[in-house]
Amino acid sequence: MGVKLLLEKANVPGIRTYDVYRREGGYAAAEKALKEMSIESIVEEVKKSGLRGRGGAGFPAGMKWSFIAKPEGVPRHLVCNADESEPGTFKDRYLMEFLPHLLIEGLLISSYALGSNDTYIYIRGEYAWVADILEEAIVEATKNGWLGKNILGTGFDCMIHVHRGAGAYICGEETALIESLEGKRGNPRIKPPFPAIQGLWMRPTVVNNVETLAAVVPIIKMGGEEYAKIGVGRSTGTKLISACGNINKPGVYEIDMTISVEDFIYSDEYCGGIANGKKLKACIPGGSSVPILPANLLLKTAKGETRYMNYESLSEGGFATGSMMGSGGFIILDEDQCIVKNTLTLARFYRHESCGQCSPCREGTGWMEKILQKIELGKGESSDIDLLWDIQRKIEGNTICPLGDAAAWPVAAAIRHFRDEFEWHINNRELSQTSNFGLQHYADPIHVPA
Amino acid sequence: MSLQFNNEQMTEFKRLVARYPEGKQKSALLPVLHLAQDSFGGWLPTEAMDYVASLLKIEPIEVYEVATFYSMYNLKPVGKFVFEVCQTGPCMVSGSDNIIAYIQKQLDIKPGETTKDGMFTLKLVECLGACGYAPMMQVGKIYREHLTKDKVDAIIAEYRTQAATK
Ligand SMILES: Cc1cc2nc3c(=O)[nH]c(=O)nc-3n(C[C@H](O)[C@H](O)[C@H](O)COP(=O)(O)O)c2cc1C
Ligand code: SF4
Ligand code: FES
């Protein structure tokens, strides 16, 4: 069993309620932070912990906090990003649904450290029942003196507000989220200015992911240095992985980042192996935006070394032969899955979610979907693959926000690693309508030149 | 104007607006549109959007812009129960295509359509954050997960009964 810092108590009956959470040691970290620690030392502990943002980009949380501007007389805000809409990702939902007070406690400590008197949780609109659970937890926390005025007699006031989105993946991007929180369309802003200087209502704002903010609780409890001892290298602490697709045990798992990808997939403690006795074909290890890898590059790097479930190892080999940790949405495809079809559903997703501000993203996502649809329906031409490649290259790096890149990468990686499957579709138009390319050589050992 | 929040809805409206600082009441727009949609029959006629604009003291166009941007707001009438079935990658590899085809067959409608009796609408949506519990759909406030054909039949029957007894 690996170390559990976030989900340790997830199975305690009634842990969703304040009384049980408190009895199990909840709010002790908040008490310690507010009563015994200075604001500087809280930020210092978070820095020492090496905690990296769990929303996808992996930016060091402590460093982000230290960037927040503190102009005299201007309120600052902490915003918790609970938009969670990246396909394959459902870890924040789990955390909020089962351990709402862990998030509230993390938000309280973080709000105190950042000086946010009004903190917002921006939750995707579809998680309506989760929003209710959070609201209930906030009422309980307020009743027990953890939110409201003059918390624990420190003079610090803090209220947490739940704000429901309304169905738009782009609102997970932090500046689009801020626009949406202001009651507008979710169009990302041009940076700079960065939210840390001018964010919500043009006030200094920090946006962090749910899991990042929950992790502040164990960090304060055990100290940043102890937290940093868990894991390896710059992948400190624990990470929530939401595993889905063709595995025996889909679900949310907390891992310490020293476990190998192979163990994660095949051990009974985690995914429990590929479902229905099938073989592993491919995996998207960090949410739909990150590059897909064939089985042979997933379990071992191109150098033939074991690949591990951490930031560095998953990206070993760069985009040529590696992928990314991303949001921790771990999607497994078995031997029966069609890479063209899978890529098509993702291209459709990004076309649907593009906010339309930049032409490379708006037009490019539409074109990619159309061409993939054509190939999938057995009407592809051999020039289509190069055309797809060209389009994705024209999007990448030429847009206001990273959604453009996120749309380009899955297509690029699918072509890079599964080109022969695309070619097979094009050369076998009729056959491709009734059967699949299958596993082929994608799980074969890779030839490593000496 | 005939569309109006009743007392209870108005209390909820005030609670929502109070979350934001003075003068920033426009921030309540998304939550208030959810409230309006829930209060006025599951969709947002122009009249409802204009009403929301007047309550928040903003221009109607500011409301239209937002209502058309977000996928959860229905700008056309929908059935009593809306089946929003996820069709994105992880659900697709877990068999959502079969479930979508089965629902179409059982309800005799295509995606985007409503049954003649006004009971069910079928919508295909993108990832709802339930990928590990696929195939799945959202119906109103709740998620129905691990769908099978039998489960779909049971769910349809359940809502029919619910509608008949109300
Ligand atoms: C298109 C897009 C969607 C995103 N969606 C989310 C999301 O749903 N949740 C999230 O925490 N971060 C999301 N992000 C990342 C946020 O912009 C931001 O980096 C993150 O909330 C910062 O928090 P962290 O440092 O704690 O990870 C998204 C980014 C992009 C470009
Ligand atoms: S890259 Fe796409 S989603 Fe991002 S701002 Fe441009 S058009 Fe909008
Ligand atoms: S892909 Fe269907 S819920 Fe995520």
Side-chain angles (χ1 to χ4, degrees):
Chain A
M1 280 283 281
V3 201
K4 305 263 179 286
L5 301 178
L6 298 174
L7 302 186
E8 190 192 355
K9 310 269 174 169
N11 294 324
V12 175
I15 193 73
R16 195 184 273 166
T17 62
Y18 173 79
D19 289 341
V20 177
Y21 181 75
R22 179 79 175 131
R23 193 188 70 213
E24 293 289 327
Y27 288 100
E31 198 161 8
K32 177 175 169 187
L34 268 67
K35 281 197 172 152
E36 298 166 24
M37 294 172 72
S38 67
I39 285 170
E40 294 72 28
S41 62
I42 297 173
V43 177
E44 200 46 42
E45 290 305 318
V46 174
K47 275 191 183 164
K48 273 195 233 158
S49 74
L51 174 66
R52 293 168 68 174
R54 304 297 196 220
F59 192 81
M63 202 187 301
K64 187 181 227 177
W65 286 12
S66 63
F67 291 155
I68 193 166
K70 298 186 173 170
E72 197 66 35
V74 182
R76 299 186 285 277
H77 295 286
L78 169 66
V79 177
C80 171
N81 190 342
D83 194 52
E84 190 164 77
S85 310
E86 167 106 350
T89 317
F90 47 101
K91 64 181 180 79
D92 296 336
R93 161 189 169 182
Y94 187 91
L95 209 149
M96 294 186 286
E97 192 170 349
F98 295 101
L99 294 160
H101 282 285
L102 179 66
L103 177 62
I104 306 291
E105 184 176 6
L107 284 172
L108 169 59
I109 301 169
S110 310
S111 300
Y112 179 68
L114 291 162
S116 169
N117 303 120
D118 283 288
T119 291
Y120 293 87
I121 303 176
Y122 185 102
I123 185 168
R124 67 177 299 176
E126 294 89 346
Y127 286 174
W129 81 97
V130 185
D132 290 346
I133 290 172
L134 290 172
E135 297 233 23
E136 224 166 280
I138 289 169
V139 169
E140 285 183 315
T142 311
K143 258 191 215 147
N144 288 282
W146 297 99
L147 294 174
K149 297 247 177 270
N150 190 18
I151 299 164
L152 304 184
T154 54
F156 177 63
D157 304 339
C158 182
M159 229 11 249
I160 298 175
H161 312 276
V162 181
H163 180 105
R164 267 176 76 205
Y169 166 64
I170 190 58
C171 291
E173 192 282 331
E174 57 185 15
T175 60
L177 184 151
I178 289 170
E179 285 284 297
S180 182
L181 197 42
E182 292 183 358
K184 302 181 210 152
R185 296 170 80 106
N187 289 341
R189 295 177 180 171
I190 294 172
K191 299 191 232 184
F194 288 90
I197 315 293
Q198 290 183 324
L200 182 59
W201 305 308
M202 300 311 269
R203 300 168 178 177
T205 303
V206 165
V207 180
N208 272 134
N209 173 258
V210 169
E211 185 189 344
T212 313
L213 293 164
V216 170
V217 175
I219 289 170
I220 293 304
K221 215 181 270 177
M222 65 203 292
E225 255 165 57
E226 284 303 306
Y227 184 89
K229 284 183 192 157
I230 301 164
V232 56
R234 291 181 57 232
S235 298
T236 60
T238 61
K239 175 84 189 86
L240 297 183
I241 305 288
S242 58
C244 61
N246 310 120
I247 46 175
N248 281 318
K249 292 172 56 196
V252 177
Y253 299 103
E254 180 170 14
I255 58 163
D256 85 37
M257 291 182 267
T258 57
I259 178 176
S260 72
V261 175
E262 187 163 1
D263 282 346
F264 183 69
I265 296 176
Y266 293 100
S267 82
D268 285 335
E269 195 184 336
Y270 302 105
C271 303
I274 309 302
N276 306 311
K278 302 266 181 194
K279 293 199 182 71
L280 169 69
K281 177 173 179 178
C283 172
I284 306 175
S288 63
S289 305
V290 312
I292 186 170
L293 289 178
N296 51 17
L297 281 174
L298 174 72
L299 304 180
K300 288 208 165 24
T301 67
K303 290 185 200 149
E305 289 160 359
T306 303
R307 206 186 276 284
Y308 294 92
M309 297 285 291
N310 61 50
Y311 291 92
E312 289 76 20
S313 188
L314 283 172
S315 56
E316 170 70 37
F319 276 13
T321 58
S323 185
M324 280 164 81
M325 173 71 109
S327 62
F330 193 82
I331 310 165
I332 289 286
L333 278 64
D334 71 18
E335 57 188 303
D336 292 345
Q337 302 306 327
C338 169
I339 300 298
V340 175
K341 177 90 187 275
N342 183 64
T343 312
L344 167 63
T345 76
L346 299 183
R348 185 190 58 220
F349 171 81
Y350 290 106
R351 190 264 305 149
H352 184 256
E353 304 299 338
S354 166
C355 83
Q357 281 193 107
C358 333
S359 34
C361 172
R362 184 186 60 237
E363 304 299 326
T365 52
W367 277 106
M368 292 197 299
E369 183 193 1
K370 270 199 202 111
I371 298 165
L372 283 161
Q373 179 93 40
K374 215 173 107 190
I375 302 175
E376 165 66 15
L377 294 176
K379 300 190 173 113
E381 290 153 62
S382 49
S383 57
D384 284 342
I385 301 177
D386 289 336
L387 186 57
L388 270 176
W389 185 263
D390 265 5
I391 297 172
Q392 67 79 19
R393 274 197 38 198
K394 290 203 176 93
I395 303 175
E396 195 194 352
N398 291 319
T399 57
I400 294 177
C401 92
L403 185 138
D405 297 348
W409 294 342
V411 174
I415 296 176
R416 188 180 299 121
H417 299 300
F418 299 90
R419 192 174 183 113
D420 38 3
E421 183 159 354
F422 283 83
E423 284 167 353
W424 178 84
H425 268 256
I426 290 165
N427 297 330
N428 299 278
R429 292 175 161 200
E430 273 167 40
L431 188 62
S432 73
Q433 298 308 292
T434 50
S435 68
N436 264 342
F437 192 56
L439 181 64
Q440 301 294 335
H441 55 96
Y442 296 129
D444 295 352
I446 296 193
H447 173 67
V448 186
Chain B
M1 204 179 288
S2 57
L3 276 184
Q4 272 191 340
F5 286 148
N6 62 27
N7 285 344
E8 195 185 322
Q9 291 155 352
M10 197 44 114
T11 309
E12 177 63 8
F13 168 79
K14 288 185 181 141
R15 192 181 76 89
L16 294 174
V17 174
R19 291 171 176 168
Y20 310 93
E22 282 285 327
K24 308 290 184 200
Q25 78 285 354
K26 183 178 173 179
S27 281
L29 182 51
L30 268 63
V32 172
L33 281 176
H34 281 305
L35 177 66
Q37 178 158 299
D38 292 346
S39 307
F40 305 138
W43 70 293
L44 293 169
T46 311
E47 208 189 342
M49 293 192 271
D50 292 348
Y51 176 58
V52 167
S54 71
L55 285 178
L56 291 176
K57 303 189 178 66
I58 56 180
E59 294 300 323
I61 179 79
E62 296 177 78
V63 180
Y64 307 157
E65 266 177 9
V66 162
T68 50
F69 185 85
Y70 296 92
S71 66
M72 288 181 78
Y73 301 127
N74 297 315
L75 302 175
K76 284 187 307 199
V78 290
K80 215 174 163 75
F81 304 101
V82 186
F83 286 5
E84 303 185 69
V85 193
C86 174
Q87 57 171 347
T88 315
C91 276
M92 188 276 292
V93 305
S94 313
S96 62
D97 284 359
N98 293 336
I99 291 297
I100 293 166
Y102 188 70
I103 296 175
Q104 293 192 48
K105 184 175 138 251
Q106 294 306 86
L107 296 179
D108 195 21
I109 49 173
K110 291 203 186 59
E113 294 179 352
T114 300
T115 51
K116 283 198 197 76
D117 59 4
M119 194 77 79
F120 299 103
T121 300
L122 173 62
K123 244 172 122 175
L124 301 187
V125 297
E126 303 296 348
C127 182
L128 292 175
C131 329
Y133 323 109
M136 64 79 62
M137 65 178 172
Q138 174 169 25
V139 188
K141 231 180 175 181
I142 55 170
Y143 281 13
R144 312 300 298 246
E145 301 172 326
H146 298 295
L147 294 177
T148 58
K149 289 178 180 173
D150 287 346
K151 235 174 165 172
V152 167
D153 286 338
I155 290 169
I156 293 173
E158 178 191 321
Y159 288 122
R160 285 224 163 94
T161 318
Q162 194 180 315
T165 51
K166 253 192 196 161

